[in-house]
Amino acid sequence: MSTRLATAAVLALVVLAGCAGSAARTATTAAEGEPTETTARSDASSADLPPGVSPDGVANASALVAAHRAALAETGYTYRVRTAGSADGSFDQQGTARAAVGTNHAPIRIRSVTDVQSDDGTRRIRSDIWANESVALYEYRTRNRTVYDKSNASLSPDGEPVVGSTAFDVTEQASLARLVETALRAGEFEVADVGSTDGSTLTTLRATAPNRSSTAFGNVSTYDATVVADERGRIHRLDVTVETDRTGFRYEFTLETLGGVVVEYPAWADRALATVAADIDVDSADDHFVVSNEGGETLAPESTVRVRRGARNVTLELNRSLAPGEAAYVYFPADGADPVIGDEPPTEGEADRLDGEYRFVVAGPTGTPLVNASFGFETASETETPAG
C-alpha cells in the first residue's frame, strides 16, 4: 500500500539514532534529576569492555550488535530517537520517535512526529505503530486525514531478516540492530573513555573520520559519531552526524529505561484490524479498466473505487466481495452517463473510448487507500489522420 510505504520511508529516517543525554536508567536507579555517581577510569582491561570492543576500538561490530540485541531482549525498555535530514544544505526533514518495548522485543509501540519541508510548506506526519510477533497495526495522521493499516509481522531473533519477507521486522525496529551496525562500520572508532555509573561499566567510543572501505552512506566528507555501551553490549547512546557532497543528516538515539515497561495496546487497534491487506491492481484494457485482486485478503463489499476523468470525479461502490484472482470492470458508457462497475467487461459499443487522463483510488471498507493509479491516453484529435 502506498501510504504504508511512504510512511516507512519516513520512519527509516526516524529509527537510527544517538543522543548526548544520560545513559539508560533501570527501574531501581535514582529518580530523574537526582545525581548519580560516575567514576572515570583509564585502566580498564578488556574484560570491562563490551563484546566486540578492544582497547584499540571496535574490533568486531557484528559481535557488539549481537550482544546489544541479546541483552535488550532480557528486559522491557524504552528509547528515544531524534533525526534531522538535509538536502543541498537546507534541512527538509526532522523527526522524533519514542518506543516502548516488551521482553524479547515484543510487543512494541513506536510513536513518531515527522516534519517534512517542501516547496508547498511544512507537512507534519504523526504515526503510531503497535506490533507483536505476528501482526503490525498502523495509524497515520496528517493535518486533515487519519489512515489505518495492518501488515504481517515477524521476529528475527538471530538478527537476520527472512529473505523475501515484507513483514514488519519487530526485532529490528525494537533493537535497531542492523542500523546500529551500519553506523559502527561507517566510522573509525576508538575508545575515548571507560567509566562506572550505577554499577555498570560504560565505554565511550568516538569516530571523527569515515571508514573509507564502507559505502553505507555514499561519498562521505564528514563523519562524527559517539557510541556509549555497557559491559553487556547494550548501546545506551548513539549520536551520528554525516555529511556528503549533497546531503547531511544526524541521528540521535537514547536508551531511556530498562525494566518496568508496559506496552499499551492502542485504542484504535480495531480500526486497523478492520483494514484489508490485499494486493489490488488497476490496469487498462481496450475501452475499460480492470480492478483485480492479485493476492492477500478478500476485498469486502462496500469497498470503493474513486474514478477521476478530467474534472469529473465519481465514487463507485463494490456490490460484492473481490477475492484473490477475481476482477471487476470499470467503464464510461458510450451515452455519456457516469462510469459503472460490473462483473464483466463492456460489450462492443457499450463503452466510450479511453482518452485524456484518469486517476483511480481503490479503498477498503474503512476508507484506507489500497492503491493509487493514473493513466493518460491520446485524445481523439491527436489520433485522427489529417485529410489529403
Side-chain angles (χ1 to χ4, degrees):
M1 169 187 156
S2 58
T3 304
R4 186 191 309 151
L5 292 175
T7 306
V10 172
L11 289 176
L13 186 61
V14 181
V15 289
L16 180 59
C19 187
S22 61
R25 58 178 175 83
T26 67
T28 58
T29 59
E32 186 174 354
E34 294 183 11
T36 57
E37 183 177 353
T38 301
T39 303
R41 303 203 318 270
S42 60
D43 59 345
S45 67
S46 296
D48 298 309
L49 299 175
V53 176
S54 73
D56 295 326
V58 178
N60 187 330
S62 296
L64 177 54
V65 170
H68 164 74
R69 183 173 52 244
L72 284 180
E74 296 175 4
T75 64
Y77 54 97
T78 64
Y79 67 76
R80 182 187 70 223
V81 171
R82 291 175 179 168
T83 63
S86 65
D88 298 324
S90 176
F91 281 109
D92 57 16
Q93 182 166 307
Q94 298 185 48
T96 300
R98 288 183 179 272
V101 186
T103 305
N104 294 321
H105 303 306
I108 180 175
R109 189 169 183 181
I110 308 172
R111 307 183 201 196
S112 68
V113 179
T114 304
D115 291 323
V116 182
Q117 298 177 7
S118 67
D119 294 339
D120 298 327
T122 300
R123 181 187 183 198
R124 172 160 289 186
I125 302 172
R126 298 179 183 273
S127 71
D128 191 352
I129 301 174
W130 181 95
N132 62 11
E133 300 87 344
S134 59
V135 66
L137 308 177
Y138 310 82
E139 180 193 60
Y140 309 130
R141 288 183 289 146
T142 57
R143 182 172 57 185
N144 53 9
R145 189 179 185 191
T146 300
V147 174
Y148 300 95
D149 200 6
K150 68 181 178 184
S151 72
N152 293 330
S154 63
L155 293 173
S156 54
D158 59 357
E160 294 298 327
V162 178
V163 176
S165 174
T166 58
F168 182 89
D169 191 334
V170 177
T171 307
E172 170 57 28
Q173 296 296 330
S175 66
L176 310 181
R178 289 191 293 276
L179 293 170
V180 171
E181 183 166 0
T182 298
L184 289 172
R185 293 186 182 279
E188 297 285 356
F189 284 90
E190 298 178 349
V191 175
D193 183 56
V194 179
S196 297
T197 300
D198 297 326
S200 293
T201 300
L202 298 179
T203 298
T204 301
L205 300 163
R206 288 279 294 130
T208 57
N211 180 351
R212 294 301 178 186
S213 65
S214 172
T215 59
F217 299 118
N219 185 21
V220 176
S221 57
T222 299
Y223 189 86
D224 189 285
T226 300
V227 176
V228 177
D230 65 25
E231 69 276 10
R232 296 286 310 281
R234 281 181 293 243
I235 306 297
H236 289 245
R237 290 169 40 204
L238 172 61
D239 189 330
V240 180
T241 299
V242 178
E243 293 182 4
T244 70
D245 51 353
R246 297 185 58 187
T247 62
F249 49 88
R250 182 177 182 179
Y251 301 118
E252 299 179 349
F253 165 85
T254 303
L255 180 62
E256 294 190 312
T257 62
L258 290 171
V261 176
V262 176
V263 182
E264 297 180 348
Y265 191 68
W268 48 262
D270 287 345
R271 298 180 185 179
L273 287 168
T275 60
V276 180
D279 182 10
I280 304 300
D281 182 64
V282 180
D283 203 357
S284 61
D286 298 327
D287 54 0
H288 62 277
F289 295 94
V290 182
V291 178
S292 58
N293 187 340
E294 301 296 317
E297 297 181 347
T298 296
L299 192 59
E302 301 181 359
S303 299
T304 59
V305 179
R306 188 165 72 247
V307 187
R308 181 172 182 175
R309 181 187 192 185
R312 196 174 180 182
N313 203 344
V314 178
T315 298
L316 307 172
E317 186 173 295
L318 286 179
N319 55 13
R320 66 174 181 86
S321 61
L322 198 66
E326 296 182 339
Y329 303 87
V330 177
Y331 62 93
F332 286 77
D335 61 7
D338 283 341
V340 298
I341 186 169
D343 296 336
E344 300 291 337
T347 59
E348 184 176 356
E350 185 179 7
D352 194 10
R353 71 186 304 276
L354 301 180
D355 63 16
E357 296 183 353
Y358 300 78
R359 183 179 179 186
F360 282 75
V361 179
V362 182
T366 62
T368 300
L370 300 173
V371 68
N372 292 269
S374 298
F375 301 86
F377 302 91
E378 292 181 338
T379 62
S381 61
E382 292 173 330
T383 58
E384 291 177 351
T385 302

